[in-house]
Amino acid sequence: MTDPDWGRNVPSTLKAALRRTGLLRLLIAPGRFRAFVRQSELGIVLLGAVVGVLAGLVVVAMSAIARLLHQAIFRIEIRERLSSAASLDTTTILIAPVVGGIVLGLIHLVLAYRRKRPMVDPIEANALHGGRLSLTDSIIVCVQNLVSNGFGASVGLEAGYTQLSSGFASKIGVSMKLRRGDLRILVGCGAAGAIAAAFNAPLTGAFYAFELIIGSYSIASLTPVIAASLLATSVARPFVPSSFLVNAGSFGAVIPTDYVPALLLGLLCAGGGILLMTGVSMVEEVSRKSSIPPAIRPALGGIVIGLLALVSPQILSGGHGALHVNLDQDLTIPALGFLLLMKSLASAVSIGSGFRGGLFFASLFIGALLGKIFALAGMWLVPGSALTPAVYAIIGMSCLAASVIGGPLTMTFLALEVTGDFSITALTLAAVITASLTVRNLFGYSFATWRFHLRGESIRSAHDVGWIRNLTVGKLMRPDVKTATAGMSLAKFRESFPLGSTQRVVIVDDDGKYVGIVIVPEAHSSLVIDTDGGLLDLIRYRNSFLLPTMNAKQATRIFEHAESEALAVLGDKIEQHVIGLLSESYTLRRYSEELDKRRREVSGET
């Protein structure tokens, strides 16, 4: 509520300045501010800035909680990373993931009883629901992610960062009654701020939003997303100093022949990314088909993770510390290959058994290992090249992450911002494009959209397709349908439906089931003779009809196949009771209007 003494406490000079700019009324009148946000591009920028600050605070809070959990559970030093800790108690390594799995199982039992609908992530929210995202569900996902990471499961915190930040953004946008396009942009601001703050990389965060959350780049979305990324980075930097800077070492100028191994590494990383996504899906499929209750699966997965961690503690948690250890040290190819296999297996088991998290940082870590292995095994490919194994590790990191997560420009900018070297970025861009193109042609999905595909969704990106699904036949049809029975005589039909009364009449049988449609002008034609057959010879479109759950695009295809200007809408395929009528012209007009609305949203037109 607004403080009644606020206006008296503002200095007169400041109050006069605010009054002159018209901001005073905006600050003290929520309704006016809401109208300002809806009518002005500057309003979306201001909301994007607010969301950026919140995203930075989310990253700071979640990072601090995860570190406290690591220190309390694994007894590590304040400045140590779990995956690179010098000494860990073997009993704790074995037991901690199991305990985390038990906690997640209990949370699952509570959710199964209290919450029946599936949780929606930012990509699905923007693709299907116009940016609407439950803040309660986002908090639950955040807690699950913290438990998973805090007890040592091989998942990062990036999924929790983006989920909670986007949840706050969606809540703010819904409260401001933003339009569909503006709400989607604001959700993108939340995700952009989260990734930017997590990696101290504002360009990476911004293009993460453009490529993965919003699904497109536009002038209208540029300013709010960039503002959110910059502010989130500024908020988080004093509290979460960047530990992701990678030293590529000293090397000479990049020569044209250096692009050959870079492109080969891109192809290799594309294959590795496909294998990783398939492996995670296989573990999930085995878990679903087993008779093991979902609440017990995380604990069983925790046993496997604990056993793997006994062999290599570097697979624990996200892997920030382990990444630097393996980039800085001179390890052999077998050692790097063994760690790559262990991390891949641990990540697949963690996610497949029910731990909450994503493959963002795991893909970076695995890609860096793959790039270094490639460099050590194939240095003879480019005689005279000055590139170090660390350079190939950076290229591999970006390529495999682009293969799994998607977003080739996102991962290219990440390479630029963590190295500060443009020559490495050029090599990375060529390799990332190769990897991304290969995955799209051979696999077709990123990790998030592949999981949607497995549950029956056809989402391939965050492009807004939800409006098509919302534009259903049930919403477009006219319920006032003229009907007649199939046994009616032609004379009776002509008497009941004279010329000009209606264009078409839906014919039903004695039980009310759909039979077809009779065109009224045809029934009144002088060429048609009244016979004992009545209307049967005039009935059309017997097997062509619509269902209320069909969307406008599906209805358009049926109109085209039936070559009809209008079709009956049936309640279902079994009862076949007529509930409405829909014309092709109206369907196309409404479909075109919605397409134009989406075009204006992308171009920034009001």
Side-chain angles (χ1 to χ4, degrees):
M1 296 180 63
T2 304
D3 183 1
D5 296 327
W6 183 86
R8 292 194 294 269
N9 295 333
V10 177
S12 57
T13 53
L14 177 59
K15 189 185 296 184
L18 290 172
R19 190 177 290 112
R20 281 196 301 271
T21 60
L23 291 178
L24 179 61
R25 288 180 296 175
L26 291 176
L27 291 173
I28 62 177
R32 292 180 181 272
F33 183 68
R34 186 183 298 117
F36 168 70
V37 168
R38 285 176 55 85
Q39 296 172 7
S40 170
E41 187 176 345
L42 180 59
I44 301 298
V45 175
L46 291 176
L47 286 184
V50 172
V51 168
V53 173
L54 288 174
L57 295 175
V58 165
V59 172
V60 170
M62 287 187 63
S63 299
I65 294 171
R67 287 208 170 207
L68 288 174
L69 286 172
H70 292 163
Q71 292 165 22
I73 296 169
F74 293 93
R75 308 290 184 180
I76 63 175
E77 299 295 331
I78 295 177
R79 296 186 178 276
E80 276 188 307
R81 290 279 190 175
L82 177 58
S83 59
S84 60
S87 60
L88 293 173
D89 181 68
T90 56
T91 304
T92 304
I93 290 176
L94 187 59
I95 293 177
V98 180
V99 175
I102 293 173
V103 173
L104 282 178
L106 294 174
I107 294 175
H108 182 275
L109 288 175
V110 174
L111 294 178
Y113 177 73
R114 306 222 14 158
R115 303 187 75 81
K116 302 299 182 183
R117 66 177 185 270
M119 295 186 185
V120 175
D121 71 1
I123 295 177
E124 185 178 1
N126 266 9
L128 297 181
H129 308 293
R132 291 183 175 270
L133 194 63
S134 168
L135 181 57
T136 303
D137 287 353
S138 298
I139 293 173
I140 293 171
V141 170
C142 175
V143 172
Q144 291 175 321
N145 195 189
L146 282 170
V147 171
S148 301
N149 181 277
F151 282 86
S154 192
V155 294
L157 290 172
E158 292 77 20
Y161 294 155
T162 55
Q163 181 78 35
L164 188 55
S165 300
S166 299
F168 279 121
S170 181
K171 185 70 173 179
I172 293 172
V174 170
S175 66
M176 289 291 172
K177 300 180 181 178
L178 294 183
R179 298 177 182 87
R180 186 186 186 94
D182 293 337
L183 184 57
R184 295 179 73 253
I185 290 174
L186 203 61
V187 170
C189 290
I195 296 300
F199 293 96
N200 191 22
L203 286 176
T204 301
F207 276 86
Y208 180 89
F210 293 138
E211 292 185 303
L212 300 173
I213 306 300
I214 301 174
S216 63
Y217 164 84
S218 68
I219 298 299
S221 61
L222 175 64
T223 306
V225 169
I226 292 293
S229 297
L230 291 173
L231 281 171
T233 305
S234 301
V235 168
R237 188 177 295 148
F239 303 99
V240 187
S242 177
S243 60
F244 194 63
L245 292 176
V246 178
N247 181 14
S250 58
F251 59 93
V254 173
I255 58 178
T257 52
D258 287 328
Y259 282 88
V260 176
L263 296 179
L264 291 175
L265 180 56
L267 292 173
L268 183 62
C269 288
I274 293 173
L275 287 176
L276 180 60
M277 289 186 283
T278 306
V280 173
S281 301
M282 287 177 60
V283 175
E284 289 183 325
E285 187 68 17
V286 170
S287 298
R288 280 196 297 266
K289 289 183 177 179
S290 68
S291 57
I292 303 171
I296 300 178
R297 293 172 195 167
L300 297 179
I303 295 174
V304 178
I305 295 166
L307 293 174
L308 294 173
L310 286 177
V311 179
S312 177
Q314 294 186 25
I315 62 101
L316 292 171
S317 188
H320 289 73
L323 174 64
H324 287 282
V325 168
N326 290 280
L327 288 182
D328 295 339
Q329 293 182 355
D330 294 328
L331 300 177
T332 63
I333 292 177
L336 291 170
F338 178 74
L339 180 58
L340 184 151
L341 180 62
M342 296 290 285
K343 182 65 178 179
S344 301
L345 183 59
S347 297
V349 171
S350 296
I351 297 175
S353 62
F355 284 95
R356 177 70 71 168
L359 288 175
F360 195 113
F361 201 88
S363 62
L364 294 174
F365 185 17
I366 295 170
L369 294 175
L370 189 59
K372 195 167 183 179
I373 292 172
F374 177 84
L376 294 176
M379 282 186 172
W380 51 270
L381 286 175
V382 187
S385 175
L387 298 184
T388 64
V391 172
Y392 285 106
I394 294 165
I395 296 173
M397 173 185 75
S398 300
C399 287
L400 199 132
S403 301
V404 174
I405 306 301
L409 286 179
T410 301
M411 300 311 167
T412 302
F413 278 114
L414 181 60
L416 172 63
E417 291 182 296
V418 301
T419 63
D421 192 287
F422 284 95
S423 58
I424 294 177
T425 305
L427 277 177
T428 303
L429 178 60
V432 162
I433 290 174
T434 302
S436 180
L437 181 64
T438 303
V439 171
R440 285 204 311 274
N441 281 276
L442 296 182
F443 196 68
Y445 299 88
S446 66
F447 179 63
T449 53
W450 172 240
R451 290 160 68 86
F452 295 144
H453 169 73
L454 291 177
R455 75 182 198 202
E457 294 285 357
S458 58
I459 307 171
R460 288 182 178 266
S461 71
H463 284 285
D464 191 6
V465 297
W467 66 270
I468 299 177
R469 299 190 180 192
N470 292 334
L471 197 65
T472 61
V473 169
K475 294 180 179 180
L476 297 174
M477 71 178 189
R478 292 178 52 187
D480 51 332
V481 186
K482 303 291 185 180
T483 60
T485 59
M488 181 181 290
S489 66
L490 181 58
K492 181 66 175 177
F493 182 88
R494 288 172 173 173
E495 181 183 347
S496 301
F497 304 100
L499 278 172
S501 61
T502 185
Q503 183 67 20
R504 52 188 57 82
V505 176
V506 177
I507 307 301
V508 297
D509 62 13
D510 293 336
D511 296 326
K513 286 188 175 183
Y514 173 74
V515 175
I517 294 176
V518 170
I519 308 300
V520 173
E522 288 185 0
H524 286 269
S525 173
S526 59
L527 300 177
V528 178
I529 302 174
D530 192 0
T531 64
D532 295 338
L535 300 174
L536 295 180
D537 296 334
L538 298 175
I539 296 176
R540 296 186 178 190
Y541 317 119
R542 294 175 180 270
N543 298 316
S544 298
F545 52 84
L546 303 173
L547 299 175
T549 55
M550 292 178 176
N551 60 51
K553 195 171 182 179
Q554 294 170 323
T556 303
R557 286 198 293 264
I558 295 176
F559 279 123
E560 183 178 354
H561 182 266
E563 298 181 355
S564 171
E565 295 180 0
L567 289 174
V569 183
L570 310 187
D572 55 64
K573 289 184 177 181
I574 300 175
E575 298 293 335
Q576 294 191 354
H577 289 162
V578 179
I579 61 173
L581 189 74
L582 180 62
S583 68
E584 183 182 24
S585 60
Y586 181 70
T587 304
L588 291 175
R589 189 182 75 184
R590 288 288 294 113
Y591 187 69
S592 298
E593 288 173 353
E594 291 297 326
L595 277 177
D596 185 60
K597 187 183 296 184
R598 302 287 88 77
R599 180 195 62 79
R600 286 186 279 111
E601 288 175 355
V602 171
S603 63
E605 300 176 23
T606 56

Short mmCIF file of all heavy atoms in Angstrom, two decimals, residues 530-571:
data_model
loop_
_atom_site.label_atom_id
_atom_site.label_comp_id
_atom_site.label_asym_id
_atom_site.label_seq_id
_atom_site.Cartn_x
_atom_site.Cartn_y
_atom_site.Cartn_z
N ASP A 530 -38.36 -34.27 -57.09
CA ASP A 530 -38.72 -34.91 -55.82
C ASP A 530 -39.02 -36.38 -56.06
O ASP A 530 -39.93 -36.72 -56.83
CB ASP A 530 -39.93 -34.20 -55.22
CG ASP A 530 -40.16 -34.63 -53.77
OD1 ASP A 530 -39.37 -35.45 -53.27
OD2 ASP A 530 -41.11 -34.12 -53.15
N THR A 531 -38.24 -37.23 -55.46
CA THR A 531 -38.43 -38.68 -55.59
C THR A 531 -38.59 -39.30 -54.21
O THR A 531 -38.53 -38.61 -53.19
CB THR A 531 -37.21 -39.31 -56.30
OG1 THR A 531 -36.06 -39.12 -55.48
CG2 THR A 531 -36.99 -38.68 -57.66
N ASP A 532 -38.77 -40.60 -54.21
CA ASP A 532 -38.91 -41.30 -52.92
C ASP A 532 -37.63 -41.22 -52.11
O ASP A 532 -37.65 -41.41 -50.89
CB ASP A 532 -39.30 -42.76 -53.17
CG ASP A 532 -40.68 -42.89 -53.79
OD1 ASP A 532 -41.46 -41.93 -53.64
OD2 ASP A 532 -40.95 -43.94 -54.43
N GLY A 533 -36.51 -40.98 -52.78
CA GLY A 533 -35.23 -40.88 -52.07
C GLY A 533 -35.12 -39.64 -51.21
O GLY A 533 -34.25 -39.57 -50.34
N GLY A 534 -36.00 -38.67 -51.41
CA GLY A 534 -35.97 -37.46 -50.60
C GLY A 534 -34.67 -36.69 -50.76
O GLY A 534 -34.27 -36.33 -51.87
N LEU A 535 -33.98 -36.45 -49.63
CA LEU A 535 -32.76 -35.64 -49.61
C LEU A 535 -31.49 -36.45 -49.82
O LEU A 535 -30.41 -35.86 -49.94
CB LEU A 535 -32.66 -34.90 -48.27
CG LEU A 535 -33.79 -33.94 -47.91
CD1 LEU A 535 -33.59 -33.43 -46.49
CD2 LEU A 535 -33.83 -32.77 -48.88
N LEU A 536 -31.60 -37.76 -49.87
CA LEU A 536 -30.40 -38.59 -49.86
C LEU A 536 -29.47 -38.28 -51.02
O LEU A 536 -28.25 -38.33 -50.89
CB LEU A 536 -30.79 -40.07 -49.87
CG LEU A 536 -31.54 -40.56 -48.62
CD1 LEU A 536 -31.88 -42.04 -48.74
CD2 LEU A 536 -30.69 -40.31 -47.37
N ASP A 537 -30.03 -37.97 -52.19
CA ASP A 537 -29.20 -37.70 -53.36
C ASP A 537 -28.52 -36.34 -53.29
O ASP A 537 -27.61 -36.06 -54.09
CB ASP A 537 -30.03 -37.78 -54.64
CG ASP A 537 -30.59 -39.19 -54.88
OD1 ASP A 537 -29.95 -40.15 -54.39
OD2 ASP A 537 -31.64 -39.31 -55.53
N LEU A 538 -28.97 -35.47 -52.39
CA LEU A 538 -28.41 -34.10 -52.29
C LEU A 538 -27.40 -33.95 -51.16
O LEU A 538 -26.76 -32.90 -51.03
CB LEU A 538 -29.56 -33.10 -52.06
CG LEU A 538 -30.61 -33.01 -53.16
CD1 LEU A 538 -31.73 -32.06 -52.73
CD2 LEU A 538 -29.98 -32.53 -54.47
N ILE A 539 -27.26 -34.98 -50.35
CA ILE A 539 -26.39 -34.86 -49.17
C ILE A 539 -24.92 -34.91 -49.58
O ILE A 539 -24.50 -35.80 -50.32
CB ILE A 539 -26.70 -35.98 -48.15
CG1 ILE A 539 -28.12 -35.82 -47.63
CG2 ILE A 539 -25.70 -35.94 -47.01
CD1 ILE A 539 -28.55 -36.94 -46.69
N ARG A 540 -24.16 -33.94 -49.09
CA ARG A 540 -22.71 -33.87 -49.36
C ARG A 540 -21.92 -34.01 -48.06
O ARG A 540 -22.47 -33.93 -46.96
CB ARG A 540 -22.35 -32.53 -49.99
CG ARG A 540 -22.94 -32.27 -51.36
CD ARG A 540 -22.34 -30.98 -51.89
NE ARG A 540 -22.77 -30.64 -53.22
CZ ARG A 540 -22.23 -29.67 -53.95
NH1 ARG A 540 -21.23 -28.97 -53.44
NH2 ARG A 540 -22.69 -29.40 -55.16
N TYR A 541 -20.60 -34.18 -48.23
CA TYR A 541 -19.62 -34.14 -47.13
C TYR A 541 -19.99 -35.11 -45.99
O TYR A 541 -19.94 -34.77 -44.82
CB TYR A 541 -19.50 -32.71 -46.56
CG TYR A 541 -19.43 -31.65 -47.63
CD1 TYR A 541 -20.41 -30.65 -47.70
CD2 TYR A 541 -18.43 -31.67 -48.58
CE1 TYR A 541 -20.38 -29.68 -48.69
CE2 TYR A 541 -18.39 -30.70 -49.59
CZ TYR A 541 -19.37 -29.72 -49.63
OH TYR A 541 -19.33 -28.77 -50.63
N ARG A 542 -20.35 -36.32 -46.38
CA ARG A 542 -20.75 -37.31 -45.38
C ARG A 542 -19.61 -37.66 -44.41
O ARG A 542 -19.84 -37.89 -43.24
CB ARG A 542 -21.24 -38.58 -46.07
CG ARG A 542 -22.52 -38.39 -46.88
CD ARG A 542 -22.88 -39.65 -47.63
NE ARG A 542 -24.11 -39.50 -48.42
CZ ARG A 542 -25.33 -39.77 -47.96
NH1 ARG A 542 -25.48 -40.21 -46.72
NH2 ARG A 542 -26.39 -39.61 -48.73
N ASN A 543 -18.39 -37.69 -44.92
CA ASN A 543 -17.25 -38.09 -44.09
C ASN A 543 -16.33 -36.92 -43.77
O ASN A 543 -15.21 -37.12 -43.28
CB ASN A 543 -16.45 -39.18 -44.81
CG ASN A 543 -17.27 -40.43 -45.04
OD1 ASN A 543 -17.99 -40.88 -44.15
ND2 ASN A 543 -17.18 -40.99 -46.25
N SER A 544 -16.77 -35.72 -44.04
CA SER A 544 -15.96 -34.54 -43.76
C SER A 544 -16.64 -33.71 -42.68
O SER A 544 -17.77 -33.23 -42.88
CB SER A 544 -15.77 -33.71 -45.04
OG SER A 544 -15.08 -34.45 -46.02
N PHE A 545 -15.96 -33.55 -41.57
CA PHE A 545 -16.50 -32.76 -40.46
C PHE A 545 -15.34 -32.29 -39.59
O PHE A 545 -14.19 -32.71 -39.77
CB PHE A 545 -17.50 -33.58 -39.63
CG PHE A 545 -16.95 -34.91 -39.17
CD1 PHE A 545 -16.17 -35.00 -38.01
CD2 PHE A 545 -17.21 -36.08 -39.88
CE1 PHE A 545 -15.66 -36.21 -37.59
CE2 PHE A 545 -16.71 -37.29 -39.47
CZ PHE A 545 -15.92 -37.36 -38.31
N LEU A 546 -15.62 -31.41 -38.66
CA LEU A 546 -14.62 -30.84 -37.76
C LEU A 546 -14.94 -31.24 -36.32
O LEU A 546 -16.10 -31.55 -36.00
CB LEU A 546 -14.59 -29.32 -37.87
CG LEU A 546 -14.31 -28.74 -39.26
CD1 LEU A 546 -14.49 -27.22 -39.23
CD2 LEU A 546 -12.91 -29.10 -39.74
N LEU A 547 -13.91 -31.19 -35.48
CA LEU A 547 -14.08 -31.41 -34.04
C LEU A 547 -13.70 -30.14 -33.29
O LEU A 547 -12.83 -29.38 -33.75
CB LEU A 547 -13.20 -32.58 -33.58
CG LEU A 547 -13.50 -33.94 -34.21
CD1 LEU A 547 -12.47 -34.97 -33.75
CD2 LEU A 547 -14.90 -34.40 -33.86
N PRO A 548 -14.32 -29.87 -32.17
CA PRO A 548 -14.08 -28.59 -31.47
C PRO A 548 -12.64 -28.43 -30.97
O PRO A 548 -12.19 -27.31 -30.76
CB PRO A 548 -15.07 -28.63 -30.30
CG PRO A 548 -15.41 -30.06 -30.11
CD PRO A 548 -15.34 -30.67 -31.47
N THR A 549 -11.91 -29.52 -30.79
CA THR A 549 -10.54 -29.42 -30.28
C THR A 549 -9.53 -29.14 -31.38
O THR A 549 -8.36 -28.85 -31.08
CB THR A 549 -10.14 -30.73 -29.58
OG1 THR A 549 -10.34 -31.82 -30.48
CG2 THR A 549 -10.98 -30.93 -28.32
N MET A 550 -9.92 -29.22 -32.64
CA MET A 550 -9.00 -28.93 -33.74
C MET A 550 -8.64 -27.45 -33.74
O MET A 550 -9.47 -26.60 -33.38
CB MET A 550 -9.63 -29.29 -35.08
CG MET A 550 -9.84 -30.77 -35.30
SD MET A 550 -10.66 -31.07 -36.89
CE MET A 550 -10.66 -32.86 -36.95
N ASN A 551 -7.41 -27.14 -34.16
CA ASN A 551 -7.05 -25.73 -34.29
C ASN A 551 -7.32 -25.25 -35.70
O ASN A 551 -7.68 -26.03 -36.59
CB ASN A 551 -5.58 -25.50 -33.90
CG ASN A 551 -4.60 -26.27 -34.75
OD1 ASN A 551 -4.67 -26.22 -35.98
ND2 ASN A 551 -3.69 -26.99 -34.11
N ALA A 552 -7.15 -23.95 -35.91
CA ALA A 552 -7.51 -23.35 -37.20
C ALA A 552 -6.68 -23.92 -38.34
O ALA A 552 -7.18 -24.08 -39.46
CB ALA A 552 -7.33 -21.83 -37.12
N LYS A 553 -5.43 -24.25 -38.06
CA LYS A 553 -4.57 -24.78 -39.12
C LYS A 553 -5.05 -26.16 -39.56
O LYS A 553 -5.09 -26.46 -40.76
CB LYS A 553 -3.13 -24.86 -38.60
CG LYS A 553 -2.09 -25.05 -39.67
CD LYS A 553 -0.70 -24.91 -39.09
CE LYS A 553 0.37 -25.04 -40.16
NZ LYS A 553 1.74 -24.88 -39.59
N GLN A 554 -5.42 -26.99 -38.60
CA GLN A 554 -5.95 -28.31 -38.94
C GLN A 554 -7.26 -28.19 -39.69
O GLN A 554 -7.53 -28.94 -40.64
CB GLN A 554 -6.14 -29.14 -37.67
CG GLN A 554 -4.84 -29.48 -36.96
CD GLN A 554 -5.06 -30.08 -35.58
OE1 GLN A 554 -5.99 -29.67 -34.87
NE2 GLN A 554 -4.23 -31.03 -35.20
N ALA A 555 -8.12 -27.27 -39.25
CA ALA A 555 -9.41 -27.07 -39.91
C ALA A 555 -9.22 -26.62 -41.36
O ALA A 555 -9.94 -27.07 -42.26
CB ALA A 555 -10.24 -26.05 -39.15
N THR A 556 -8.23 -25.77 -41.59
CA THR A 556 -7.97 -25.29 -42.95
C THR A 556 -7.61 -26.43 -43.88
O THR A 556 -8.04 -26.47 -45.03
CB THR A 556 -6.85 -24.24 -42.92
OG1 THR A 556 -7.22 -23.17 -42.04
CG2 THR A 556 -6.61 -23.67 -44.30
N ARG A 557 -6.80 -27.37 -43.39
CA ARG A 557 -6.43 -28.52 -44.21
C ARG A 557 -7.65 -29.38 -44.54
O ARG A 557 -7.76 -29.91 -45.66
CB ARG A 557 -5.37 -29.36 -43.49
CG ARG A 557 -3.99 -28.72 -43.47
CD ARG A 557 -2.92 -29.73 -43.16
NE ARG A 557 -3.04 -30.22 -41.79
CZ ARG A 557 -2.36 -29.74 -40.76
NH1 ARG A 557 -1.51 -28.73 -40.95
NH2 ARG A 557 -2.51 -30.22 -39.55
N ILE A 558 -8.57 -29.54 -43.60
CA ILE A 558 -9.77 -30.34 -43.85
C ILE A 558 -10.68 -29.64 -44.85
O ILE A 558 -11.27 -30.27 -45.73
CB ILE A 558 -10.50 -30.62 -42.53
CG1 ILE A 558 -9.63 -31.50 -41.63
CG2 ILE A 558 -11.85 -31.30 -42.78
CD1 ILE A 558 -10.21 -31.77 -40.27
N PHE A 559 -10.82 -28.30 -44.74
CA PHE A 559 -11.60 -27.55 -45.73
C PHE A 559 -11.03 -27.76 -47.13
O PHE A 559 -11.76 -27.98 -48.09
CB PHE A 559 -11.57 -26.06 -45.39
CG PHE A 559 -12.55 -25.65 -44.32
CD1 PHE A 559 -12.12 -25.00 -43.18
CD2 PHE A 559 -13.90 -25.90 -44.46
CE1 PHE A 559 -13.01 -24.63 -42.19
CE2 PHE A 559 -14.81 -25.52 -43.48
CZ PHE A 559 -14.35 -24.88 -42.34
N GLU A 560 -9.71 -27.69 -47.23
CA GLU A 560 -9.06 -27.84 -48.54
C GLU A 560 -9.28 -29.23 -49.11
O GLU A 560 -9.55 -29.39 -50.31
CB GLU A 560 -7.56 -27.55 -48.39
CG GLU A 560 -6.79 -27.60 -49.70
CD GLU A 560 -5.33 -27.27 -49.50
OE1 GLU A 560 -4.95 -26.90 -48.36
OE2 GLU A 560 -4.56 -27.39 -50.46
N HIS A 561 -9.20 -30.25 -48.28
CA HIS A 561 -9.39 -31.62 -48.75
C HIS A 561 -10.85 -31.88 -49.15
O HIS A 561 -11.13 -32.56 -50.15
CB HIS A 561 -8.97 -32.61 -47.66
CG HIS A 561 -9.08 -34.04 -48.06
ND1 HIS A 561 -10.20 -34.81 -47.78
CD2 HIS A 561 -8.23 -34.85 -48.73
CE1 HIS A 561 -10.03 -36.02 -48.25
NE2 HIS A 561 -8.84 -36.08 -48.83
N ALA A 562 -11.79 -31.33 -48.37
CA ALA A 562 -13.22 -31.56 -48.65
C ALA A 562 -13.75 -30.66 -49.75
O ALA A 562 -14.82 -30.93 -50.30
CB ALA A 562 -14.04 -31.33 -47.37
N GLU A 563 -13.00 -29.59 -50.07
CA GLU A 563 -13.44 -28.61 -51.08
C GLU A 563 -14.82 -28.06 -50.72
O GLU A 563 -15.73 -27.99 -51.55
CB GLU A 563 -13.44 -29.23 -52.47
CG GLU A 563 -12.06 -29.68 -52.93
CD GLU A 563 -12.07 -30.28 -54.32
OE1 GLU A 563 -13.18 -30.41 -54.89
OE2 GLU A 563 -11.00 -30.60 -54.84
N SER A 564 -14.96 -27.69 -49.45
CA SER A 564 -16.23 -27.16 -48.95
C SER A 564 -16.02 -25.77 -48.36
O SER A 564 -14.96 -25.48 -47.80
CB SER A 564 -16.80 -28.09 -47.87
OG SER A 564 -17.92 -27.51 -47.24
N GLU A 565 -17.04 -24.93 -48.49
CA GLU A 565 -16.98 -23.59 -47.92
C GLU A 565 -17.34 -23.58 -46.45
O GLU A 565 -17.04 -22.61 -45.74
CB GLU A 565 -17.91 -22.65 -48.68
CG GLU A 565 -17.50 -22.43 -50.13
CD GLU A 565 -18.44 -21.50 -50.85
OE1 GLU A 565 -19.41 -21.03 -50.20
OE2 GLU A 565 -18.24 -21.25 -52.04
N ALA A 566 -18.01 -24.63 -45.97
CA ALA A 566 -18.38 -24.73 -44.56
C ALA A 566 -18.54 -26.20 -44.21
O ALA A 566 -18.91 -27.02 -45.06
CB ALA A 566 -19.67 -23.97 -44.27
N LEU A 567 -18.25 -26.51 -42.93
CA LEU A 567 -18.39 -27.88 -42.45
C LEU A 567 -19.04 -27.90 -41.08
O LEU A 567 -18.95 -26.92 -40.32
CB LEU A 567 -17.02 -28.56 -42.38
CG LEU A 567 -16.34 -28.93 -43.70
CD1 LEU A 567 -14.94 -29.45 -43.44
CD2 LEU A 567 -17.16 -29.94 -44.50
N ALA A 568 -19.69 -29.01 -40.78
CA ALA A 568 -20.32 -29.18 -39.47
C ALA A 568 -19.25 -29.49 -38.42
O ALA A 568 -18.22 -30.10 -38.71
CB ALA A 568 -21.35 -30.29 -39.52
N VAL A 569 -19.52 -29.08 -37.19
CA VAL A 569 -18.65 -29.37 -36.05
C VAL A 569 -19.37 -30.37 -35.16
O VAL A 569 -20.49 -30.13 -34.72
CB VAL A 569 -18.33 -28.09 -35.26
CG1 VAL A 569 -17.38 -28.41 -34.11
CG2 VAL A 569 -17.73 -27.03 -36.17
N LEU A 570 -18.72 -31.52 -34.91
CA LEU A 570 -19.32 -32.58 -34.10
C LEU A 570 -18.69 -32.58 -32.71
O LEU A 570 -17.50 -32.26 -32.54
CB LEU A 570 -19.12 -33.94 -34.76
CG LEU A 570 -19.51 -34.06 -36.24
CD1 LEU A 570 -19.40 -35.51 -36.68
CD2 LEU A 570 -20.92 -33.53 -36.47
N GLY A 571 -19.47 -32.98 -31.73
CA GLY A 571 -18.97 -33.02 -30.36
C GLY A 571 -17.84 -34.01 -30.19
O GLY A 571 -16.86 -33.75 -29.51
#
